[in-house]
Amino acid sequence: MERALYGEGGFYLRERPSRHFRTSVSASPIFAEAVLTILADVDARLGRPSRIDLVDVGAGEGTLVRHVLDLAPPSLAARLAITAVDLADRPPGLPEAITWAAAPPGSITGLVIANEWLDNVPLDFAEQTADGPRLVLVDPATGEERLGPPPEPADAEWLERWWPLPAVGLRAEIGRSRDEAWAGVVTRIVRGRAIAIDYAHPVDNRPLCGTLTGYRDGSVVPPIPDGTCDITAHVALDACAAAAERARGFSTASTTLTTQREALRALGMTGARPCWRWRTPTRARTCGPWRAPPRRPS
């Protein structure tokens, strides 16, 4: 998965995400407005420092930070230090005020946003057998699967705690790599807030056979790791949250788990599907059939 997405010629180093799916960032400017509202709150709680960070992890094409910069009032924009984090090349036309980097800053005072980043952090897949869980191996040329060795001890412990497999044939995505990735971001924060947004599931309601999915050109395709498609899996965000708290120390970190709809409503937004427009050669209609391109769940 890592080689297919981020290796030489990998999907995310070669393709622009907007060609294949849409997320909340590109679906509506409301998302950027919500992030700006949170950023302004963090800024106020920090006493409006002379410099405040906004870090977008998994920035894609820089759409979110570009919109936030456009919307920010001058008094905030003048103090903003924006870092867009992605392994792909810097998109053309990105404002010079936005720093493009392969890793987050080592020290962050402000707000970190990771919107649909963790679902693309590579992980291993396991299947329960009569002798315990075994890794699922896949031929990247054909997609053919076979069972491999047992997971390493740390991954086996993660499965037992966060995604137990009570019956033979059940499958799980081993999310320890996501835990470590999120904890690695959160520990860079000196003062501020970090928000991860992804499609997820809780420990008491994990899917029976996992969620591994491929996307190409707006369509769902088999998740064959050949570099031609996005490969994604839902996130055990509860495990990520616990890992971040352990990494920072429970006395200095607190976590809230909620849904995106509830979070938007708490910011004064409805969370409802926006009213789409579509045009014919002879007339324009409002709130007609939704004809937006296919999108990845968010």
Side-chain angles (χ1 to χ4, degrees):
M1 183 175 177
E2 181 172 2
R3 183 170 60 249
L5 295 181
Y6 307 111
E8 184 178 355
F11 179 82
Y12 274 107
L13 302 188
R14 189 186 67 252
E15 300 285 340
R16 290 299 182 191
S18 59
R19 284 192 54 207
H20 300 274
F21 55 81
R22 298 192 314 151
T23 68
S24 297
V25 171
S26 54
S28 167
I30 292 175
F31 193 85
E33 293 171 8
V35 170
L36 180 59
T37 299
I38 297 169
L39 177 63
D41 177 67
V42 171
D43 183 44
R45 291 172 182 268
L46 295 178
R48 296 183 172 83
S50 59
R51 169 193 165 113
I52 182 167
D53 290 301
L54 173 61
V55 180
D56 181 10
V57 183
E61 293 161 75
T63 304
L64 175 60
V65 287
R66 188 196 302 261
H67 287 170
V68 171
L69 181 61
D70 289 342
L71 293 169
S75 60
L76 177 57
R79 295 181 289 113
L80 264 181
I82 301 178
T83 304
V85 180
D86 207 282
L87 295 178
D89 292 337
R90 182 185 181 95
L94 197 68
E96 292 184 2
I98 298 173
T99 299
W100 192 262
S107 176
I108 299 170
T109 298
L111 176 64
V112 175
I113 295 288
N115 183 62
E116 297 197 29
W117 167 60
L118 288 169
D119 66 277
N120 287 126
V121 172
L123 43 61
D124 285 327
F125 206 50
E127 180 176 316
Q128 184 71 311
T129 72
D131 299 321
R134 302 269 296 276
L135 294 179
V136 178
L137 307 182
V138 60
D139 185 337
T142 65
E144 182 180 356
E145 295 179 351
R146 64 180 176 86
L147 294 182
E152 60 181 84
D155 285 339
E157 291 176 7
W158 189 94
L159 284 172
E160 185 176 358
R161 167 64 181 88
W162 292 107
W163 198 329
L165 297 171
V168 171
L170 298 186
R171 289 185 165 192
E173 290 122 13
I174 305 173
R176 187 168 65 91
S177 57
R178 277 107 180 259
D179 295 357
E180 293 174 351
W182 183 237
V185 169
V186 171
T187 53
R188 296 170 186 252
I189 297 177
V190 178
R191 293 191 303 154
R193 183 179 303 169
I195 300 176
I197 305 142
D198 242 304
Y199 39 109
H201 39 61
V203 67
D204 58 352
N205 191 28
R206 304 284 191 220
L208 297 179
C209 295
T211 62
L212 203 64
T213 308
Y215 286 91
R216 184 191 303 119
D217 297 327
S219 299
V220 176
V221 297
I224 299 175
D226 60 1
T228 67
C229 66
D230 175 32
I231 300 175
T232 176
H234 294 207
V235 184
L237 276 178
D238 45 5
C240 293
E245 290 184 342
R246 289 194 304 270
R248 283 195 61 94
F250 289 96
S251 62
T252 62
S254 61
T255 299
T256 298
L257 293 170
T258 186
T259 66
Q260 188 171 182
R261 181 182 295 273
E262 290 170 348
L264 289 171
R265 285 180 171 170
L267 294 169
M269 300 168 188
T270 65
R273 185 184 297 279
C275 177
W276 295 95
R277 294 176 180 268
W278 64 277
R279 291 185 178 273
T280 67
T282 57
R283 62 178 178 171
R285 290 183 56 183
T286 302
C287 298
W290 184 41
R291 296 191 175 184
R295 57 169 295 181
R296 213 163 59 169
S298 61

